[in-house]
Amino acid sequence: MKYLATFLVLFTIYILLAGFYVQELMLGGIVSLVLTFILAKLVNYTIDYRFPVKLLVFIFAYLPIFTWQLVLSNIDVAKRVLSPKIPLNPGFVKIKTDLKGDFAKLTLANSITLTPGTLSVDINDDYIYVHTVDVKGKTPEENREIISGKFEKLLGVIFK
Amino acid sequence: MEIVSYVFMIIGGLFYLLGGLGVLRMPDTFDRIQSGTKATTLGAFTLLIGIGIANPDWLLKVFLIIVFIALANPIGSSALAKAAYKSCELPKNLVQDDLKELFGGEDNDSN
Amino acid sequence: MIDILVFSLVGLGVLFAMIRLLIGPTPADRVVALDTFNIIVIGVIALLAYQFKNSLYLDIAIVYAILAFIETIVFARYLEGNHGDC
């Protein structure tokens, strides 16, 4: 099941990119087959019949919030670039995450990097270490709510 | 359609300019990493979308580049930030440092 | 006309990143500038594809993006080996 789903996704992407010709179909089949075996052997992930639903949730619920945060963070960067004397108190804080799985943690870390004023530095087990320009919360729970609260719930739904 | 694509391209160029300016003007390394990554990521998104709107045939390849940049750019900046932390270029006025428990103390070689 | 505007904005971004690449006080600053520079160059290649009306340039942009990512990771790994004395 996992092999078949991975093969279908890869093959569809290949055909969309290369065009619908006989040679491309054959070459795409071979390349997708090899890639499927390599990925399924080496990478730890799950893919099943709920994948299209998750993809739709990802596109229509997660991406708008993410894009809005990206725009906000760029306005923030513009403000700080044009007047670099804004008082700051930078710091490295660690926040706990409940997400399981490598892809979920990767997505969360990337989202944290692209939100205003934060930059994820490292992941160790269940903790993400974040450099923030302005440490707001006093306790780890407050920091967690401020930095990753929005994304954590949605990603929990998507990656189960 | 042409006007929309031009607007996207100009906004993308502005964000690229902002990224270069942020890398030049920010006071310490971590601020430079932040502003450079954020501004250039959004700049690349808008500029590529503008090009995709101007030529709808290319939309799929443009989308592939956007996905790749969205995945790879934050990972690269995270690796850079970790390297900068390990080579001791900390900001002057830190108020909190939780990373010390991970890298500080003995000189561990774990990845 | 508008093409000239877009190219000049992007070119100014390249110029600023290049200045930081030259004057950066520490190696990490130079690598940050190089990373920014690479992402800007991806946009420049895509703009060239638009100017020359040739979609082959987009393939070059894809390959350049992959190489830039690997380059950043390799430089970061190299810098991690250089422990300062803190």
Side-chain angles (χ1 to χ4, degrees):
Chain A
M1 187 62 211
K2 180 179 173 184
Y3 287 82
L4 186 65
T6 313
F7 176 77
L8 279 181
V9 170
L10 289 176
F11 192 61
T12 314
I13 293 174
Y14 190 96
I15 294 303
L16 283 178
L17 277 175
F20 202 80
Y21 307 109
V22 178
Q23 302 100 314
E24 296 286 358
L25 281 176
M26 285 166 53
L27 186 63
I30 294 170
V31 170
S32 310
L33 211 58
V34 173
L35 266 182
T36 302
F37 279 107
I38 293 175
L39 280 178
K41 273 270 186 292
L42 296 182
V43 184
N44 173 26
Y45 67 100
T46 56
I47 181 170
D48 53 9
Y49 61 93
R50 278 171 303 178
F51 178 70
V53 181
K54 285 181 183 174
L55 196 65
L56 282 182
V57 173
F58 184 81
I59 290 174
F60 288 108
Y62 180 72
L63 280 189
I65 297 177
F66 175 73
T67 314
W68 178 239
Q69 289 292 322
L70 188 55
V71 173
L72 278 187
S73 76
N74 274 281
I75 294 170
D76 181 56
V77 164
K79 248 187 280 178
R80 279 193 287 128
V81 165
L82 296 180
S83 63
K85 292 205 171 53
I86 295 176
L88 302 169
N89 44 352
F92 294 93
V93 298
K94 73 173 182 182
I95 54 176
K96 193 176 183 311
T97 172
D98 293 332
L99 297 175
K100 301 284 177 243
D102 293 342
F103 274 102
K105 283 177 190 166
L106 171 71
T107 317
L108 182 63
N110 280 1
S111 311
I112 287 174
T113 297
L114 294 175
T115 45
T118 54
L119 167 72
S120 59
V121 178
D122 202 359
I123 300 181
N124 191 19
D125 291 339
D126 276 346
Y127 292 98
I128 300 181
Y129 293 83
V130 178
H131 168 261
T132 87
V133 172
D134 194 3
V135 181
K136 290 200 186 76
K138 293 287 182 292
T139 61
E141 285 77 24
E142 275 183 25
N143 280 324
R144 177 185 175 184
E145 190 54 42
I146 291 170
I147 292 173
S148 74
K150 302 181 280 298
F151 296 120
E152 183 113 22
K153 299 187 198 76
L154 264 176
L155 287 177
V157 172
I158 293 167
F159 291 100
K160 189 163 52 79
Chain B
M1 221 56 210
E2 198 140 313
I3 295 171
V4 176
S5 76
Y6 276 135
V7 168
F8 268 103
M9 277 187 221
I10 289 175
I11 293 174
L14 275 176
F15 279 120
Y16 270 155
L17 175 64
L18 183 68
L21 206 60
V23 168
L24 184 61
R25 281 192 63 173
M26 283 296 179
D28 70 67
T29 308
F30 290 93
D31 281 348
R32 280 174 203 145
I33 295 175
Q34 279 204 21
S35 57
T37 305
K38 283 166 190 159
T40 51
T41 306
L42 187 59
F45 286 2
T46 43
L47 197 139
L48 287 169
I49 287 173
I51 289 171
I53 290 174
N55 298 286
D57 298 347
W58 301 355
L59 214 47
L60 211 66
K61 268 181 192 171
V62 162
F63 186 66
L64 190 69
I65 303 178
I66 286 177
V67 168
F68 188 78
I69 287 179
L71 274 180
N73 205 7
I75 299 177
S77 68
S78 286
L80 265 179
K82 197 173 154 189
Y85 186 91
K86 279 193 176 178
S87 56
C88 301
E89 288 154 18
L90 300 183
K92 297 285 186 296
N93 50 350
L94 275 182
V95 294
Q96 190 178 356
D97 193 355
D98 284 342
L99 261 179
K100 192 167 268 186
E101 67 186 28
L102 202 60
F103 298 141
E106 79 278 13
D107 192 36
N108 50 356
D109 288 335
S110 65
N111 293 324
Chain C
M1 185 59 214
I2 298 179
D3 306 331
I4 297 175
L5 180 62
V6 176
F7 267 105
S8 56
L9 285 174
V10 176
L12 276 177
V14 170
L15 178 70
F16 291 144
M18 195 69 105
I19 292 174
R20 176 53 73 189
L21 184 66
L22 290 177
I23 68 171
T26 63
D29 285 334
R30 291 175 206 262
V31 183
V32 173
L34 187 67
D35 189 26
T36 309
F37 177 78
N38 278 330
I39 308 283
I40 299 179
V41 167
I42 295 170
V44 172
I45 296 172
L47 274 177
L48 285 181
Y50 172 73
Q51 280 292 313
F52 295 143
K53 307 254 179 287
N54 189 347
S55 72
L56 275 180
Y57 284 87
L58 285 181
D59 297 340
I60 300 176
I62 295 173
V63 174
Y64 193 89
I66 296 170
L67 284 180
F69 173 59
I70 294 172
E71 182 185 341
T72 307
I73 296 293
V74 167
F75 272 121
R77 283 288 172 208
Y78 168 70
L79 282 180
E80 273 183 29
N82 284 349
H83 285 290
D85 44 352
C86 59

